Amino acid sequence: MQQEIRNIAIIAHVDHGKTTLTDALMKQCGVGVEGQTMDSNPMEKERGITITAKNTSVPYKGVKINILDTPGHADFGSEVERVLRSIDCVLLVVDAQEGPMPQTRFVLKKSLELGLKPIVVINKIDKPAADATRVHDEVFELFLELGANDEQLDFTTVYAIGREGVAMKSLDDERKDLTPLLDTILEKVPRATGDMTKPAVAQAFNLAYDNFLGRMAVARVYDGTIKVGEELIVKKSDGTTSKAKVTKIFTFNGINRMDVNEVIAGDIAMIAGFSDIYIGDTFVKNADQDAMQAIHIDEPTIALNFLVNDSPFAGKEGKFVTGRQIRERLEKELEINVGLKVDFDTDKYLVYGRGELHIGVLLETMRREGYELQVSQPQVIFHEKDGVKEEPYEELVIDVPVESAGAVMEKLGRRKAMITDMSEKNGINRIKAEIPTRGLLGYRGEFVIDTKGLGILSARYLKFGPYAGEIQRRLVGSMTSMADGKALAFSLWNLQDRGVIYILPNTEVYDGMVVGNTSKGEEMMVNPTKGKQLSNMRSSGADEAIVLVPAWEITIERGLEIMNADEYLEVTPKSVRLRKQLLTESDRAKAGRKS
């Protein structure tokens, strides 16, 4: 007898509790292990965010519930877009204090367009400033604003504390466990349907990689049954087809893969044996069956060059340093990272991504694997429509203490942002604005400083709009080393009055390496290796004590934000450095005269 199946995705803004809720559902249904979490890779654990969409399944009252946990950060929106096509309902998780945020709008819009009827989960109702009633009204207004139909507006609401593993259908109900949420899923989510008598049809919505089996498709089976050993035809969106045999099928039990001989209509499974499968491709049994509609992914918004590292320290730390090795790694990344595009035509690899975090996570992954490379400053991608130059715009939602709002508004104005709404509650100002992506590049670091770390900034891609004109992004200049050697505390102590230092004492530096910035905005050549001149009149123990301000050390994302157009970010397994593209002062002077 065919098992009943429900397919759902959990969607929300970043840090609204999707993964915690999924972990709690697994634990209650007996497939979760204490301490186990859906965020399984090291970077997700360190950052506390979901980066890739993942599958799990839980059994409840004889029904198999397939759950897809999705990322909440806008840079990984492509992970959400492709997942929504494969499921029958979404759990929209909203923070009971923050309410709907930019990514809430993005994921909800996508699901409403596909005709899905969401179940709203108002999470974290135990927060001191939680206001579940207000948030419910805000969510309803958002549904109206996004053009939800009458059936979608009649959504079911469940209240939850994901961390404690409790859910209630009403705020006054007993806080016991997640049974009310699981019952709501069985009641409201349509049963996964499919005609078992028809020839097999399935569509790949995600990709996985196995060292022994190679590339595998994570696919939803819509009709028929797929068995190990049978031959299937893969139809691509461009009309091309290919044939191959199914070598392995895995379904999910919790986050563990189960090796099975067949998968039935309505279920989600991993299918191996198709080396050239791609997201959106359709598996069919017979050649006369039609391919399913292609999965559309939003376009990238920024581009930058990946180059072979040619600094004086090149090859000292990396295991993979050649252009061919970097190319092969990027080709492998393209197999599973749908939001990424790469132009391999030149000796530089032009990489297109969805944002600084999207690119930053790729670079961090590569350096941990032993790759060494350098990248140029991220540039916004411009389009031309009817002879008019267009650029990407982002929707900003900023929560800042009232005393910091003035500084934030001033910076936003300088970066060509248009304020669309502003409100104040409990001493916190909420500012909504539309800003060119160019204006947002490099702003997050300044925002943290301006708000003393108390502000929250969220952004999502909005649209392509008219070119906003010149934007002055950076008011500081670079402090560039003119010597090779080890940086000394005495030298850095003298330099720290001129700006912000990026390096620690004893750091190896080279001619052309950027060691700090200058607050007055001028380019400055410095010698960080210079020690105190000692003589019979001056001893090393006399004079003032050297007190260094803590260095503003460069990380990948910070480097991508603050680098200038004439600089490269050098990324190696052990170091992240900023350097000038032309290392010597004479080369830079010549280039300046030519330009």
Coordinates of all heavy atoms in Angstrom, one line a residue, residues 209-249:
Y209 N 26.7 15.8 -4.2 CA 27.9 15.2 -4.8 C 28.5 14.1 -3.8 O 28.5 14.3 -2.6 CB 29.0 16.2 -5.0 CG 30.2 15.7 -5.8 CD1 30.1 15.7 -7.2 CD2 31.3 15.3 -5.2 CE1 31.2 15.2 -8.0 CE2 32.4 14.8 -6.0 CZ 32.3 14.7 -7.4 OH 33.3 14.3 -8.1
D210 N 28.8 12.9 -4.4 CA 29.4 11.8 -3.6 C 30.7 11.4 -4.3 O 30.8 11.3 -5.5 CB 28.4 10.7 -3.6 CG 28.8 9.5 -2.7 OD1 29.7 8.7 -3.1 OD2 28.3 9.4 -1.6
N211 N 31.7 11.2 -3.4 CA 33.0 10.8 -4.0 C 33.0 9.5 -4.8 O 33.9 9.3 -5.6 CB 34.1 10.8 -2.9 CG 34.4 12.1 -2.3 OD1 34.3 13.1 -3.0 ND2 34.8 12.2 -1.1
F212 N 32.1 8.6 -4.4 CA 32.0 7.3 -5.1 C 31.0 7.3 -6.2 O 31.2 6.7 -7.3 CB 31.7 6.2 -4.1 CG 32.8 6.1 -3.0 CD1 32.5 6.6 -1.8 CD2 34.0 5.5 -3.3 CE1 33.5 6.5 -0.8 CE2 35.0 5.4 -2.3 CZ 34.7 5.9 -1.0
L213 N 29.9 8.0 -6.0 CA 28.8 7.9 -7.0 C 28.8 9.1 -7.9 O 28.1 9.2 -8.9 CB 27.4 7.9 -6.3 CG 27.2 6.6 -5.4 CD1 26.0 6.8 -4.5 CD2 27.1 5.4 -6.2
G214 N 29.6 10.2 -7.6 CA 29.6 11.4 -8.5 C 28.4 12.3 -8.2 O 27.9 12.3 -7.1
R215 N 28.0 13.0 -9.3 CA 26.9 13.9 -9.1 C 25.6 13.2 -9.0 O 25.3 12.2 -9.7 CB 26.9 14.8 -10.3 CG 26.0 16.1 -10.0 CD 25.6 16.8 -11.3 NE 26.8 17.3 -12.0 CZ 26.6 18.3 -12.9 NH1 25.5 18.9 -13.1 NH2 27.7 18.8 -13.5
M216 N 24.8 13.6 -8.0 CA 23.4 13.0 -7.8 C 22.4 14.1 -7.8 O 22.6 15.3 -7.4 CB 23.4 12.3 -6.5 CG 24.3 11.1 -6.4 SD 24.0 10.2 -4.9 CE 24.6 11.2 -3.6
A217 N 21.2 13.8 -8.4 CA 20.1 14.7 -8.4 C 19.2 14.5 -7.2 O 18.8 13.4 -6.9 CB 19.3 14.5 -9.7
V218 N 18.8 15.6 -6.5 CA 17.7 15.5 -5.5 C 16.5 15.9 -6.3 O 16.4 17.0 -6.8 CB 18.0 16.5 -4.4 CG1 16.9 16.3 -3.3 CG2 19.4 16.2 -3.7
A219 N 15.5 15.0 -6.4 CA 14.4 15.2 -7.4 C 13.1 14.8 -6.7 O 13.0 14.0 -5.8 CB 14.6 14.3 -8.6
R220 N 12.0 15.5 -7.2 CA 10.7 15.2 -6.8 C 10.1 14.3 -7.9 O 10.1 14.6 -9.1 CB 9.9 16.5 -6.6 CG 8.3 16.3 -6.7 CD 7.7 15.9 -5.3 NE 6.3 15.7 -5.4 CZ 5.4 16.6 -5.1 NH1 5.8 17.8 -4.6 NH2 4.1 16.4 -5.1
V221 N 9.5 13.1 -7.5 CA 8.9 12.2 -8.4 C 7.4 12.6 -8.6 O 6.7 12.7 -7.5 CB 9.0 10.8 -8.0 CG1 8.4 9.8 -9.1 CG2 10.5 10.4 -7.8
Y222 N 7.0 13.0 -9.8 CA 5.6 13.5 -10.0 C 4.6 12.3 -10.4 O 3.5 12.3 -10.0 CB 5.6 14.6 -11.0 CG 6.2 15.9 -10.4 CD1 7.5 16.2 -10.6 CD2 5.4 16.8 -9.7 CE1 8.1 17.3 -10.1 CE2 6.0 17.9 -9.1 CZ 7.3 18.2 -9.3 OH 7.9 19.3 -8.8
D223 N 5.1 11.4 -11.2 CA 4.3 10.3 -11.7 C 5.1 9.0 -11.7 O 6.3 9.1 -11.9 CB 3.7 10.6 -13.1 CG 2.5 11.5 -13.1 OD1 1.7 11.5 -12.1 OD2 2.5 12.4 -14.0
G224 N 4.4 7.9 -11.6 CA 5.1 6.6 -11.8 C 6.0 6.2 -10.7 O 6.0 6.8 -9.6
T225 N 6.9 5.3 -11.0 CA 7.9 4.7 -10.0 C 9.2 4.7 -10.7 O 9.3 4.3 -11.9 CB 7.5 3.3 -9.6 OG1 6.1 3.4 -9.1 CG2 8.4 2.8 -8.5
I226 N 10.3 5.0 -10.0 CA 11.6 5.0 -10.5 C 12.4 3.9 -9.7 O 12.4 3.8 -8.5 CB 12.4 6.3 -10.4 CG1 11.7 7.4 -11.3 CG2 13.9 6.2 -10.8 CD1 12.3 8.7 -11.1
K227 N 13.0 2.9 -10.5 CA 13.7 1.8 -9.9 C 15.1 1.8 -10.2 O 15.5 2.2 -11.3 CB 13.0 0.5 -10.3 CG 11.6 0.3 -9.9 CD 11.0 -1.0 -10.4 CE 9.5 -1.1 -10.0 NZ 8.8 -2.3 -10.5
V228 N 15.9 1.2 -9.3 CA 17.4 1.0 -9.6 C 17.5 0.1 -10.8 O 16.9 -0.9 -10.9 CB 18.1 0.4 -8.3 CG1 19.5 0.1 -8.6 CG2 18.0 1.4 -7.2
G229 N 18.4 0.5 -11.7 CA 18.7 -0.4 -12.8 C 18.0 0.0 -14.1 O 18.3 -0.5 -15.2
E230 N 16.9 0.8 -13.9 CA 16.1 1.1 -15.1 C 16.7 2.3 -15.9 O 17.4 3.1 -15.3 CB 14.6 1.3 -14.8 CG 14.3 2.6 -14.2 CD 12.7 2.8 -14.1 OE1 12.0 2.4 -15.0 OE2 12.3 3.3 -13.1
E231 N 16.5 2.3 -17.2 CA 17.0 3.4 -18.0 C 16.0 4.6 -18.1 O 14.8 4.4 -18.3 CB 17.3 2.9 -19.4 CG 18.2 3.8 -20.2 CD 18.6 3.1 -21.5 OE1 17.7 2.9 -22.4 OE2 19.8 2.9 -21.7
L232 N 16.5 5.8 -17.9 CA 15.7 7.0 -17.9 C 16.3 8.0 -18.9 O 17.5 8.0 -19.2 CB 15.6 7.7 -16.6 CG 14.8 6.9 -15.5 CD1 14.8 7.8 -14.2 CD2 13.3 6.7 -15.9
I233 N 15.4 8.8 -19.5 CA 15.8 9.9 -20.4 C 15.8 11.2 -19.6 O 14.9 11.5 -18.9 CB 14.9 10.0 -21.6 CG1 14.9 8.6 -22.4 CG2 15.2 11.1 -22.5 CD1 13.8 8.5 -23.4
V234 N 16.9 12.0 -19.8 CA 17.0 13.3 -19.2 C 16.7 14.3 -20.2 O 17.4 14.4 -21.2 CB 18.3 13.5 -18.5 CG1 18.4 15.0 -18.0 CG2 18.6 12.6 -17.4
K235 N 15.7 15.2 -20.0 CA 15.4 16.3 -20.9 C 15.7 17.6 -20.3 O 15.3 17.9 -19.2 CB 13.9 16.3 -21.3 CG 13.4 15.0 -22.1 CD 12.1 15.2 -22.7 CE 11.8 14.1 -23.7 NZ 10.5 14.4 -24.5
K236 N 16.5 18.4 -21.1 CA 17.0 19.7 -20.6 C 16.1 20.8 -21.2 O 15.4 20.6 -22.1 CB 18.5 19.9 -21.0 CG 19.4 18.8 -20.3 CD 20.9 19.1 -20.5 CE 21.7 18.2 -19.8 NZ 21.7 18.4 -18.3
S237 N 16.3 22.0 -20.6 CA 15.4 23.1 -21.0 C 15.7 23.6 -22.4 O 14.9 24.2 -23.1 CB 15.6 24.3 -20.0 OG 17.0 24.6 -19.9
D238 N 17.0 23.3 -22.9 CA 17.3 23.7 -24.3 C 16.9 22.7 -25.3 O 17.2 22.8 -26.5 CB 18.9 24.0 -24.4 CG 19.7 22.7 -24.0 OD1 19.1 21.6 -23.8 OD2 20.9 22.8 -24.0
G239 N 16.2 21.6 -24.9 CA 15.7 20.6 -25.8 C 16.6 19.4 -26.0 O 16.2 18.4 -26.6
T240 N 17.8 19.4 -25.5 CA 18.7 18.3 -25.6 C 18.3 17.1 -24.7 O 17.7 17.4 -23.6 CB 20.2 18.6 -25.4 OG1 20.3 19.2 -24.0 CG2 20.7 19.7 -26.4
T241 N 18.6 15.9 -25.1 CA 18.3 14.7 -24.2 C 19.5 13.8 -24.1 O 20.4 13.8 -24.9 CB 17.1 13.9 -24.8 OG1 17.5 13.4 -26.1 CG2 15.9 14.8 -25.0
S242 N 19.5 13.0 -23.0 CA 20.5 12.0 -22.8 C 19.9 10.8 -22.1 O 18.9 11.0 -21.4 CB 21.7 12.6 -22.1 OG 21.3 13.0 -20.8
K243 N 20.5 9.6 -22.2 CA 20.0 8.4 -21.5 C 21.1 7.9 -20.6 O 22.3 8.0 -20.8 CB 19.7 7.4 -22.6 CG 18.4 7.4 -23.2 CD 18.2 6.1 -24.1 CE 16.8 6.2 -24.7 NZ 16.6 5.0 -25.6
A244 N 20.6 7.3 -19.5 CA 21.5 6.7 -18.5 C 20.7 5.8 -17.6 O 19.5 5.9 -17.5 CB 22.3 7.7 -17.7
K245 N 21.4 4.9 -16.9 CA 20.8 4.0 -16.0 C 20.8 4.5 -14.6 O 21.8 5.1 -14.2 CB 21.4 2.6 -16.0 CG 20.8 1.6 -17.1 CD 21.4 0.3 -16.9 CE 20.8 -0.7 -17.9 NZ 21.4 -2.0 -17.9
V246 N 19.8 4.3 -13.8 CA 19.8 4.6 -12.4 C 20.6 3.6 -11.6 O 20.4 2.4 -11.7 CB 18.3 4.6 -11.8 CG1 18.3 4.9 -10.3 CG2 17.4 5.6 -12.6
T247 N 21.7 4.1 -11.0 CA 22.6 3.2 -10.3 C 22.3 3.1 -8.8 O 22.5 2.1 -8.2 CB 24.1 3.7 -10.4 OG1 24.2 5.0 -10.0 CG2 24.5 3.6 -11.9
K248 N 21.8 4.2 -8.2 CA 21.4 4.2 -6.8 C 20.2 5.1 -6.5 O 20.1 6.2 -7.2 CB 22.6 4.7 -5.9 CG 23.7 3.6 -5.6 CD 23.3 2.7 -4.5 CE 24.5 1.8 -4.1 NZ 24.1 0.9 -3.0
I249 N 19.4 4.8 -5.6 CA 18.4 5.7 -5.1 C 18.4 5.8 -3.6 O 18.5 4.8 -2.9 CB 17.0 5.2 -5.5 CG1 16.8 5.2 -7.1 CG2 15.9 6.1 -5.0 CD1 15.5 4.6 -7.6

